[in-house]
Amino acid sequence: MASLVTYLAVGLAFYWIIKYMIYDEVESRLKVEKRDFETYIRQHDTWTNNSYFVENKIEVYPITGNFKNEVIFKDTVITNRYEGNEDPFRQLTFYTLIGGIPYRVAIRKSMIQSYKLIEAISAALITFLGLLMVCMYVFHRRLSDKLWQPFYDTLVKIKDFDWTQNKKLELASSEITEFNELGDVLEKMSGKMQYDYKSLREFTENASHEIQTPLALINARVEQFIQAKDLGKDHTYWIEEIYHASRRMSRLNQGLLLLAKIENQQFTDQEEIDLSGQVESKLRDFEDILSHKQIKVTMRSQGIFRKVMSLSLADILLTNLLNNAIKHNLHGGEITIETGNRHLLISNTGHPLKADPESLFDRFKKESTGAESLGLGLAIVKQICDNYGLALDYQNRENIHSIKIS
Amino acid sequence: MKILVVEDEKGLAESIVDYLTKEGFICEVANTFWQADEKVSLYKYDCTIVDLTLPDGEGFGIIQTLKKIAATTGIIIISARNTLEDKIKGLEIGSDDYITKPFHLSELNARVKSLIRRRHFGGNNDMIWREIRVQLPSRKVFINEKEALISRKEYDLLLYFLSNIDVVLTKESIAEHLWGDHIDSSDSLDMVYSHIKNLRRKILDKGGKDYIQSVYGIGYKFSAS
């Protein structure tokens, strides 16, 4: 499109330039003739109107009354005496005195040759430019097909590249230096990505190990300590506090590590999971606590919600959602689980929400100030949903809180 | 009963050994992979407790060696790695149990005892303590030879107590033993209380004595004293 516009613009420009140059030439010749005419008049002070020839025709007319002494160029058309054609002429009109009488003098020059010239040049130009354009187009097509082939190959390979796998990115070398350089840079970058991912993963695991081991030691020592028979009331209280704090810390550590692992997409196993069935079997694990809190559970199934995801993550997702629905429930409250082909909705009765619903899924945002709550459960839920492109929606109507996954 | 504890963290190894020794086991410690490898090839153990991450090797290696030379040894993995893959790998390679750090010593003790019971008696024996007799295969409990009808969780609770006689069990460790770590709400501690209340009542109903002592603020102890 752009080349077509350029093509037209260049064609027009050429046409105007040639036309301007021809006019300039004709006009300068007309001016020379005018000077010859004036020299002749000055010497002879007379003119015989001999207007037989078409070319170089000079017309002299006497005029009466006022006239403006001006020199005018204009295009005109004169009928050919023999063929009856109308031929284009360029005419120079000026006024002069011959023998004391004012005359209007018109000198003409035929443009017929010049027009033919313009036409020929324009036609040649348009043809050549058109040919050039077609050639350029074909050449470009072939060039991009052949020249860019290695680039497209690279692109396909990058799209398929998965840095969580150990398979290295290997690009075929091409004849083009730039693509080879690009390939080298990409290979280096992908190598670094895989290395960083691996070390991050190792770090996560090592950090987990390094922190859990001293915590295990604290726990073990406290457990041994409480076996002592002569503990005072104060001591038991302190020990209990230490014990609680270390349990809490280890759970916090585990929660944060889990979040980091989900964020790093380290759960790569995938299978199709029937979330509706999964939630039902999960409920059995919660039987005791449900009967303890006298919570009534209603299942409403309108379909089976299937999703391809990691089994461990699906399990964590449902555990956290159910845990949340139980923890924030009232004694003797209700839980409604609704499953459809495209969604899972868990709603529970509970106290009205005090915090901002937007921040409900943020880390360490907790509704209850109870020390038992870590404030990570729903953040983990959100992270899992984000990983699998599931929409997470919270709604609160009166005392019913609903979380919908779709 | 001989137990080998393979754990590089000396303090933790010491705690485990102290606890299990009090329970009547003979314990040995290996702090490194090579130490463990040597001990495993030289002596015979009834149970081996293996940490997966050792300074000079992976615990998996020891398990493989054990499986080759002493197939009857029970193996329990203790590890900070809590991914499903590690657990599956551990069980596939031939370990009998997998406990994630940090764990309760009482829990480890209960698992060791349960493993030894399974290994040596095929789970076909009764567990008798004073007037309480637990029929393991049928999961029945008899007090003074009269059957006490107890729920599944109460049975688990009683077995946990019987594995840890005279030991203070924290409420948290009981809750975790009964429901795993997926229940993290404070309600679980209330539930522990109600289960203990029920178990105590059912034992008393059949003419048993009240062995469950409450230890202020911390937990409970099953003791005859």
Side-chain angles (χ1 to χ4, degrees):
Chain A
M1 185 61 211
S3 56
L4 200 71
V5 171
T6 321
Y7 168 68
L8 280 174
V10 167
L12 276 172
F14 261 102
Y15 177 77
W16 285 116
I17 288 167
I18 291 165
K19 198 172 170 185
Y20 171 78
M21 284 174 73
I22 285 168
Y23 268 68
D24 197 51
E25 170 66 20
V26 168
E27 278 166 15
S28 67
R29 264 161 56 197
L30 280 172
K31 274 180 193 156
V32 170
E33 273 173 34
K34 175 181 171 237
R35 220 166 60 205
D36 286 348
F37 178 83
E38 277 166 346
T39 317
Y40 181 88
I41 294 296
R42 223 174 291 132
Q43 282 172 2
H44 302 92
D45 205 21
T46 178
W47 179 260
T48 42
N49 222 348
N50 184 4
S51 61
Y52 182 77
F53 299 102
V54 176
E55 280 287 339
N56 279 338
K57 195 159 133 182
I58 298 174
E59 254 181 21
V60 179
Y61 283 113
I63 47 166
T64 49
N66 291 330
F67 64 90
K68 275 188 263 166
N69 191 11
E70 52 184 1
V71 179
I72 300 161
F73 281 109
K74 72 172 199 187
D75 284 327
T76 185
V77 167
I78 306 266
T79 310
N80 188 303
R81 195 169 289 136
Y82 306 108
E83 289 153 26
N85 295 344
E86 296 202 320
D87 292 336
F89 279 81
R90 188 74 174 156
Q91 176 179 298
L92 173 64
T93 315
F94 63 97
Y95 301 88
T96 189
L97 290 170
I98 303 171
I101 305 156
Y103 284 92
R104 191 184 72 201
V105 183
I107 308 173
R108 297 189 195 108
K109 228 168 168 45
S110 170
M111 293 291 283
I112 189 153
Q113 293 303 322
S114 314
Y115 272 124
K116 276 185 181 157
L117 192 67
I118 291 175
E119 272 164 22
I121 290 176
S122 296
L125 208 67
I126 283 165
T127 317
F128 287 131
L129 274 175
L131 264 173
L132 192 70
M133 222 177 72
V134 171
C135 286
M136 284 269 280
Y137 180 72
V138 173
F139 179 67
H140 253 283
R141 279 296 292 267
R142 296 196 53 181
L143 199 71
S144 50
D145 274 0
K146 221 177 159 181
L147 198 76
W148 290 89
Q149 195 52 47
F151 180 76
Y152 292 125
D153 287 347
T154 307
L155 210 60
V156 168
K157 279 193 180 144
I158 299 173
K159 274 182 190 158
D160 286 343
F161 175 63
D162 181 2
W163 62 89
T164 62
Q165 304 293 321
N166 264 335
K167 207 172 146 250
K168 273 199 163 174
L169 180 70
E170 270 167 4
L171 304 170
S173 64
S174 74
E175 289 166 21
I176 299 143
T177 324
E178 282 81 359
F179 288 159
N180 275 340
E181 261 175 56
L182 180 73
D184 284 350
V185 171
L186 282 174
E187 273 175 18
K188 260 184 214 155
M189 252 168 71
S190 65
K192 178 96 175 84
M193 262 159 90
Q194 279 172 322
Y195 175 78
D196 284 355
Y197 177 77
K198 213 172 141 228
S199 48
L200 193 71
R201 201 186 157 126
E202 274 165 12
F203 172 78
T204 319
E205 271 175 26
N206 291 345
S208 156
H209 183 256
E210 294 307 319
I211 294 172
Q212 296 296 52
T213 304
L215 281 172
L217 180 61
I218 295 175
N219 270 327
R221 289 304 194 196
V222 168
E223 262 187 89
Q224 281 180 289
F225 197 48
I226 55 176
Q227 307 306 333
K229 296 207 164 43
D230 49 355
L231 285 179
K233 228 178 183 180
D234 274 354
H235 297 122
T236 19
Y237 178 69
W238 294 335
I239 288 165
E240 201 199 337
E241 292 281 287
I242 295 171
Y243 186 68
H244 270 290
S246 81
R247 299 289 312 163
R248 192 172 150 69
M249 199 155 124
S250 85
R251 282 199 358 246
L252 201 63
N253 181 40
Q254 276 166 349
L256 285 173
L257 281 169
L258 178 64
L259 257 179
K261 278 182 179 175
I262 303 168
E263 271 173 12
N264 295 338
Q265 310 201 324
Q266 290 185 12
F267 292 87
T268 46
D269 62 303
Q270 284 201 334
E271 57 187 282
E272 195 183 64
I273 288 159
D274 164 16
L275 286 174
S276 326
Q278 200 76 14
V279 78
E280 256 179 272
S281 69
K282 202 80 228 161
L283 268 176
R284 256 167 261 145
D285 291 347
F286 288 93
E287 248 170 20
D288 279 325
I289 190 153
L290 288 171
S291 65
H292 175 75
K293 285 189 91 172
Q294 293 172 0
I295 294 170
K296 205 177 130 232
V297 180
T298 320
M299 286 284 294
R300 251 185 279 152
S301 180
Q302 296 162 356
I304 293 167
F305 184 29
R306 289 178 206 279
K307 179 83 194 161
V308 175
M309 63 192 296
S310 153
L311 180 64
S312 358
L313 287 189
D315 188 70
I316 293 167
L317 176 75
L318 296 175
T319 304
N320 283 358
L321 282 174
L322 286 176
N323 234 328
N324 184 66
I326 293 167
K327 194 160 37 179
H328 301 292
N329 217 320
L330 307 165
H331 197 85
E334 272 181 48
I335 290 177
T336 311
I337 298 168
E338 191 190 298
T339 61
N341 284 331
R342 286 277 171 85
H343 75 278
L344 173 73
L345 182 97
I346 297 181
S347 33
N348 63 282
T349 51
H351 296 291
L353 193 69
K354 276 169 267 161
D356 176 18
E358 290 291 308
S359 66
L360 204 65
F361 297 101
D362 291 351
R363 285 170 196 203
F364 303 120
K365 285 279 155 56
K366 38 189 176 180
E367 181 64 7
S368 59
T369 45
E372 292 299 318
S373 179
L374 293 173
L376 285 179
L378 288 183
I380 290 170
V381 166
K382 173 134 181 32
Q383 192 60 53
I384 295 173
C385 287
D386 284 355
N387 270 24
Y388 291 105
L390 289 164
L392 189 63
D393 187 36
Y394 167 80
Q395 281 201 329
N396 175 216
R397 210 169 297 134
E398 285 161 35
N399 281 343
I400 309 280
H401 306 269
S402 321
I403 292 178
K404 185 179 172 187
I405 296 177
S406 50
Chain B
M1 292 287 160
K2 256 172 85 183
I3 294 175
L4 176 66
V5 179
V6 185
E7 164 66 60
D8 60 319
E9 181 75 29
K10 290 208 169 84
L12 191 57
E14 201 183 291
S15 296
I16 296 171
V17 168
D18 278 0
Y19 199 99
L20 293 179
T21 308
K22 272 191 198 142
E23 292 291 319
F25 294 106
I26 300 155
C27 297
E28 278 183 31
V29 182
N31 293 123
T32 62
F33 180 88
W34 292 114
Q35 230 178 327
D37 203 56
E38 193 187 300
K39 278 187 190 275
V40 159
S41 346
L42 286 177
Y43 310 106
K44 195 173 178 300
Y45 297 94
D46 296 287
C47 181
T48 315
I49 297 165
V50 186
D51 182 11
L52 283 187
T53 323
L54 295 168
D56 54 348
E58 286 266 317
F60 286 127
I62 296 164
I63 298 169
Q64 275 164 335
T65 322
L66 260 174
K67 280 282 137 191
K68 255 181 260 163
I69 55 173
T72 53
T73 307
I75 300 161
I76 296 176
I77 292 176
I78 45 169
S79 173
R81 301 186 201 159
N82 59 354
T83 60
L84 204 63
E85 292 137 56
D86 278 313
K87 286 180 191 169
I88 291 169
K89 191 183 172 193
L91 295 177
E92 268 175 358
I93 216 168
S95 75
D96 300 279
D97 214 337
Y98 194 109
I99 307 179
T100 333
K101 280 185 193 174
F103 51 82
H104 300 276
L105 288 174
S106 43
E107 179 69 38
L108 178 67
N109 179 37
R111 303 243 192 144
V112 168
K113 283 186 175 170
S114 147
L115 177 59
I116 286 174
R117 272 201 308 270
R118 271 186 282 147
R119 287 262 151 185
H120 284 258
F121 310 104
N124 271 323
N125 62 326
D126 288 358
M127 220 171 142
I128 301 165
W129 189 79
R130 295 187 175 233
E131 66 265 37
I132 302 167
R133 183 167 67 90
V134 180
Q135 220 172 53
L136 293 169
S138 57
R139 295 174 72 93
K140 278 181 183 161
V141 175
F142 297 89
I143 316 285
N144 294 321
E145 292 310 313
K146 281 180 284 179
E147 191 184 344
L149 292 170
I150 64 173
S151 73
R152 198 158 50 88
K153 290 290 169 197
E154 284 156 13
Y155 174 86
D156 289 343
L157 180 61
L158 179 63
L159 221 59
Y160 192 46
F161 271 134
L162 290 177
S163 300
N164 290 287
I165 301 283
D166 271 329
V167 168
V168 179
L169 299 176
T170 59
K171 287 176 282 188
E172 288 84 357
S173 96
I174 297 172
E176 258 175 56
H177 180 78
L178 294 182
W179 296 290
D181 51 8
H182 68 268
I183 290 184
D184 62 355
S185 86
S186 56
D187 297 311
S188 61
L189 300 183
D190 292 341
M191 283 156 66
V192 168
Y193 174 74
S194 76
H195 278 304
I196 283 186
K197 207 175 66 184
N198 291 340
L199 180 65
R200 177 187 278 147
R201 186 175 45 82
K202 284 176 182 175
I203 294 174
L204 287 174
D205 279 353
K206 298 289 171 203
K209 283 200 189 106
D210 183 12
Y211 297 113
I212 305 174
Q213 299 170 7
S214 163
V215 179
Y216 178 78
I218 294 179
Y220 302 91
K221 184 165 145 183
F222 205 80
S223 170
S225 60

